Amino acid sequence: MFDLDRWREIFQSINKNRLRSVMSGFTVAFAILLFTLLFGIVSGLSNTFKGAFVDDAQNAMFIRVWKTSKPYKGLQTGRRIQLKNKDYNYVTEEYANKIQYQSARIYKNFAIKYKSNASNYRVMAVNPDHQFLEKTMIDEGRYMNERDLNEAAKVIVIGRLIKKDLFGERPALGKRVNVNGSSYLIIGVFSDDGGDNEERKAYIPLTTAQRMYGNNDYVSQIALGYNPNLSLTEAVTFGNRLERDLRNKLNIHPDDQSALSVRNMAEANKGIGQFMGILYAIVIIVGSGTLVAGIIGISNIMIFVIKERTKEFGIRKALGAKPLSIVSMVVQESVLITTLAGYLGLSLGTYILSLIGNSLEEKYFIKDPSVSPSIVIVATLVLILSGLIAAYVPAKKAANIKPIEALRAD
Amino acid sequence: MIKIEKLHKSYPIGKDSLHVLKGIDLHIKEGEFVSIMGSSGSGKSTLLNIVGLLDVHDEGNYFLNGQLIKNMNEKKAALLRNKFLGFIFQSFNLISYKTALENVALPLYYKGISRKERLKTALDYLEKVGLKDWANHLPNELSGGQKQRVAIARALVTKPKVVLADEPTGALDSTTTDSVMDLLKDINNEGMTVFVITHEEEVAEQTKRVVRLKDGLIISDEITAVGKSKAV
Ligand SMILES: Nc1ncnc2c1ncn2[C@@H]1O[C@H](COP(=O)(O)OP(=O)(O)O)[C@@H](O)[C@H]1O
Ligand SMILES: [Mg+2]
């Protein structure tokens, strides 16, 4: 396949006929540039939307309770609903196969004090699974475990910024802090993508909070991670069933959104998925349109180029060129130009996208736009293939006309 | 070398067809120097193109080097052209973006000869036609006579058995015509068969045999004075 002489012929032909080479190259480069920018911008939009939900796990569901807004079974409006351990366990038992993670939550606001430094922080009492639901990333030490729960241990996992507030650059792990008057052992330090507020939180074992603050079995909220094998639709159905079930169990009107509600990430994801799907569909249509325009462009140029070269082909044939050698010369030239030009357009596009970076995030919701390698590869292949076909069809035709007719051309 | 029997050729023109060659019989032996004369439109070029495998005939037989030419595909024709035939055209037909040297070397490329050897041989032939110093010039930097000499070098570079020339001097003035004819004579003296179309008596006189065409038929076929003197 690699024939140095053939390539020499091709390079000479490209080099000595710069205008037509540049013209055909430009069409392709431009098409690919547009294609890349388009895809990049949509991926940037998509990044923004996805980014809005990085705080929690993609499969998270939260069961929240408040006061009733509808009378039901003789019970009055305004009744305060309280979740308890038995509700938590009911969910565990009833829906075991639909649940990946489960954690209760109790919210507290406590002063945390280390030596002379003290400040108020949100302290959340949770189960070990909570780490995955909240996407808590452990920087040092560890998260709480079942044993801490069983022992109602006075241990605490603090956010990166709490550590910074109280300890500065000094180590915090293994130190004791004073939380609302009692002493807790710091077993871990975490960070979280959800922003500064998330990193000014601290986590303690659920059982510890229940024992220390109220000595009851109340929980404020139940957080779940549904089984990732569920489809979005199944997950939405699961959420709705769970909501109905719990309302029934707690004597709440079936439609009382205020008293008990399940916030389901699956619903949000479904919405985003649909939105992004539409966006991508538009982009695929417009993007393919751009590519097709590029392909038509290069086909036209190729037809023109080959027509212009018909006489040259006639001369070559009179000198002993076989039709195949003419076809492959033209095809290789075209493929070379489309590949190089395509690559150029792609590089330029990628470069522009990298320049854009996050600068358009504020105004246009475009964050870190980029094209995925697979799209790049597919687009490049499409181009090479189209360069091949665009050249092959007319070249084959030109190579098969009788040399005498070719010589008579122009 | 070339043997033609009852050759017919028509060109379709719309629904009709134009009968151009109406039964040509011609035998040219190896080493002959033949010219074809005839008025414009008498079918000279048509005949030469068929002989040169650039076009195909409708009826009759054509043997090139003893081989019957029939239903020839382009690939085979290309091989035969490359091996046996050299062309010289009235309009030179040089490739405009290639230098004189590269133009001359091109037939050797299709013969599969290495680049180094190609360029060396091509330069030898350019020297032969007196254009060594013009090797790296593009065709549009050359005069008509020089272009035709490049074309002659290109026709000769593969050492063909037959050189076919369609009015090679048609676009040249009388001095350059003489230099081109001298070259053709040299070629013939080296043993190549030369087949040349012309409408100039002075040119035909310098060949050894003149075939006259009229309305698609041979009306005379004579050995010239030159031919007679060289014979014996
Ligand atoms: N491709 C063609 N299609 C139609 N008619 C042609 C074609 N080539 C030549 N002719 C016609 O055939 C006749 C002979 O042409 P040609 O062989 O070129 O004559 P000459 O070379 O003797 O002048 C002319 O009348 C010319 O118009
Ligand atoms: Mg003619």
Side-chain angles (χ1 to χ4, degrees):
Chain A
M1 190 62 215
F2 191 79
D3 176 348
L4 191 62
D5 273 334
R6 162 81 53 72
W7 283 110
R8 230 189 284 270
E9 279 288 308
I10 289 166
F11 280 123
Q12 184 177 45
S13 155
I14 291 177
N15 198 29
K16 295 286 170 66
N17 302 283
R18 289 210 188 114
L19 183 66
R20 75 163 189 236
S21 309
V22 166
M23 254 168 46
S24 42
F26 179 80
T27 320
V28 172
F30 192 69
I32 278 291
L33 175 65
L34 281 182
F35 182 84
T36 312
L37 290 179
L38 212 64
F39 261 87
I41 282 166
V42 170
S43 85
L45 283 174
S46 148
N47 285 343
T48 303
F49 281 105
K50 282 188 193 141
F53 297 92
V54 289
D55 184 16
D56 303 321
Q58 292 290 311
N59 60 341
M61 283 167 63
F62 300 95
I63 304 165
R64 293 186 298 196
V65 289
W66 184 232
K67 289 178 180 162
T68 56
S69 63
K70 291 184 163 84
Y72 187 61
K73 289 187 177 165
L75 294 164
Q76 282 173 336
T77 314
R79 177 169 61 100
R80 181 83 156 79
I81 304 296
Q82 180 62 58
L83 291 171
K84 295 183 179 152
N85 282 353
K86 65 173 170 33
D87 304 315
Y88 179 89
N89 294 335
Y90 168 77
V91 172
T92 316
E93 283 154 24
E94 203 72 5
Y95 295 101
N97 62 341
K98 289 200 163 58
I99 292 172
Q100 185 189 24
Y101 301 121
Q102 187 178 0
S103 171
R105 279 176 165 181
I106 298 171
Y107 295 102
K108 296 282 175 199
N109 269 308
F110 284 147
I112 302 181
K113 194 170 151 205
Y114 178 72
K115 294 197 172 150
S116 58
N117 294 335
S119 198
N120 271 317
Y121 298 99
R122 164 149 288 198
V123 176
M124 232 195 257
V126 296
N127 299 69
D129 272 1
H130 194 268
Q131 179 184 0
F132 308 109
L133 292 167
E134 188 66 48
K135 286 206 206 160
T136 305
M137 292 170 287
I138 292 294
D139 295 341
E140 301 171 56
R142 62 173 180 84
Y143 207 71
M144 72 197 63
N145 56 28
E146 284 300 333
R147 200 168 135 205
D148 299 324
L149 266 281
N150 291 340
E151 292 172 356
K154 283 158 73 177
V155 293
I156 188 165
V157 183
I158 61 170
R160 188 176 61 85
L161 294 178
I162 299 185
K163 181 195 167 195
K164 207 173 148 206
D165 291 347
L166 300 183
F167 294 87
E169 295 305 315
R170 283 166 296 158
L173 206 61
K175 298 280 184 320
R176 293 195 157 269
V177 282
N178 185 303
V179 179
N180 195 33
S182 21
S183 167
Y184 279 72
L185 178 69
I186 298 177
I187 55 166
V189 179
F190 70 86
S191 50
D192 192 310
D193 279 342
D196 285 2
N197 280 341
E198 294 295 324
E199 295 183 330
R200 280 214 161 77
K201 276 186 185 164
Y203 296 108
I204 58 173
L206 184 85
T207 47
T208 313
Q210 284 177 335
R211 183 170 306 169
M212 304 261 309
Y213 315 108
N215 199 19
N216 54 34
D217 66 346
Y218 290 1
V219 301
S220 320
Q221 219 183 69
I222 298 171
L224 299 175
Y226 63 79
N227 187 333
N229 294 331
L230 297 184
S231 70
L232 281 181
T233 316
E234 286 169 337
V236 170
T237 313
F238 167 44
N240 291 339
R241 222 181 85 199
L242 183 65
E243 195 171 63
R244 240 188 11 247
D245 241 22
L246 288 173
R247 280 179 189 157
N248 181 38
K249 189 163 181 291
L250 297 172
N251 289 323
I252 299 169
H253 187 282
D255 296 328
D256 196 342
Q257 198 63 26
S258 156
L260 184 145
S261 67
V262 173
R263 186 164 73 95
N264 194 346
M265 290 295 283
E267 281 176 47
N269 282 334
K270 212 174 164 187
I272 296 169
Q274 277 164 351
F275 179 70
M276 291 316 298
I278 291 167
L279 210 54
Y280 268 112
I282 291 171
V283 159
I284 284 167
I285 291 165
V286 178
S288 334
T290 320
L291 273 191
V292 167
I295 292 168
I296 291 172
I298 186 162
S299 305
N300 277 332
I301 290 169
M302 273 299 151
I303 289 170
F304 172 77
V305 162
I306 285 162
K307 209 165 173 180
E308 203 188 53
R309 291 181 76 178
T310 304
K311 184 166 183 148
E312 180 194 329
F313 297 157
I315 299 173
R316 285 176 182 271
K317 288 175 83 171
L319 301 180
K322 291 168 200 146
L324 182 68
S325 95
I326 287 173
V327 172
S328 53
M329 178 178 75
V330 174
V331 168
Q332 275 183 38
E333 184 179 322
S334 164
V335 167
L336 183 73
I337 291 176
T338 42
T339 311
L340 286 182
Y343 188 74
L344 190 81
L346 209 62
S347 316
L348 194 65
T350 324
Y351 178 67
I352 292 174
L353 290 179
S354 77
L355 283 188
I356 292 175
N358 290 338
S359 64
L360 297 181
E361 192 181 352
E362 295 274 292
K363 267 191 192 155
Y364 300 101
F365 306 108
I366 294 166
K367 182 180 168 188
D368 190 19
S370 60
V371 276
S372 74
S374 60
I375 287 176
V376 169
I377 289 165
V378 167
T380 313
L381 286 180
V382 165
L383 270 174
I384 293 175
L385 201 70
S386 54
L388 202 142
I389 295 167
Y392 179 80
V393 174
K396 179 87 186 160
K397 228 166 107 188
N400 276 337
I401 57 179
K402 275 192 288 184
I404 189 62
E405 277 164 34
L407 281 169
R408 222 181 272 133
D410 79 35
Chain B
M1 193 75 242
I2 293 166
K3 197 171 168 193
I4 287 167
E5 296 168 349
K6 298 194 178 59
L7 192 86
H8 286 261
K9 172 75 180 176
S10 305
Y11 290 114
I13 296 180
K15 279 178 189 163
D16 301 328
S17 81
L18 180 66
H19 201 177
V20 178
L21 300 179
K22 303 169 178 168
I24 303 277
D25 290 290
L26 184 64
H27 189 183
I28 298 173
K29 293 200 260 313
E30 192 161 358
E32 280 201 85
F33 189 1
V34 182
S35 59
I36 297 198
M37 295 204 60
S39 55
S40 178
S42 57
K44 307 183 295 289
S45 296
T46 305
L47 179 59
L48 190 96
N49 292 335
I50 290 171
V51 170
L53 306 177
L54 298 175
D55 206 346
V56 290
H57 58 280
D58 301 331
E59 275 173 53
N61 295 324
Y62 168 30
F63 298 90
L64 175 63
N65 202 31
Q67 185 181 349
L68 178 66
I69 306 300
K70 206 178 169 189
N71 299 332
M72 179 128 312
N73 68 27
E74 256 308 313
K75 191 176 162 187
K76 272 192 202 147
L79 271 171
L80 285 179
R81 284 196 290 264
N82 191 247
K83 205 167 161 193
F84 291 120
L85 306 172
F87 292 93
I88 303 168
F89 302 95
Q90 182 177 359
S91 56
F92 323 124
N93 281 343
L94 299 175
I95 292 178
S96 60
Y97 63 82
K98 286 180 177 289
T99 63
L101 185 67
E102 288 164 345
N103 266 289
V104 176
L106 195 56
L108 296 174
Y109 167 65
Y110 289 117
K111 232 186 162 78
I113 297 195
S114 78
R115 181 178 159 83
K116 214 174 137 192
E117 202 174 322
R118 259 183 355 238
L119 294 179
K120 189 177 160 293
T121 314
L123 197 61
D124 288 348
Y125 276 84
L126 272 182
E127 189 170 18
K128 225 175 180 166
V129 299
L131 288 176
K132 196 181 178 184
D133 295 338
W134 296 84
N136 294 318
H137 286 253
L138 290 172
N140 62 13
E141 298 162 349
L142 303 174
S143 72
Q146 286 174 323
K147 282 185 210 170
Q148 198 56 297
R149 282 188 282 159
V150 172
I152 291 173
R154 184 179 64 182
L156 299 180
V157 77
T158 53
K159 297 199 181 74
K161 290 210 179 267
V162 182
V163 172
L164 301 169
D166 191 344
E167 305 204 31
T169 60
L172 305 178
D173 61 36
S174 59
T175 1
T176 43
T177 294
D178 288 344
S179 74
V180 165
M181 283 313 292
D182 287 343
L183 275 169
L184 291 182
K185 279 184 244 172
D186 287 348
I187 298 165
N188 179 241
N189 287 336
E190 286 172 22
M192 274 183 225
T193 311
V194 179
F195 191 22
V196 53
I197 293 177
T198 183
H199 57 258
E200 297 166 78
E201 288 292 346
E202 309 86 76
V203 169
E205 276 169 13
Q206 299 181 53
T207 66
K208 292 176 181 169
R209 178 179 165 193
V210 181
V211 175
R212 288 176 203 275
L213 273 188
K214 195 181 177 191
D215 293 337
L217 285 168
I218 293 177
I219 53 165
S220 80
D221 185 347
E222 295 165 335
I223 308 293
T224 62
V226 177
K228 280 172 186 156
S229 71
K230 288 267 168 80
V232 186

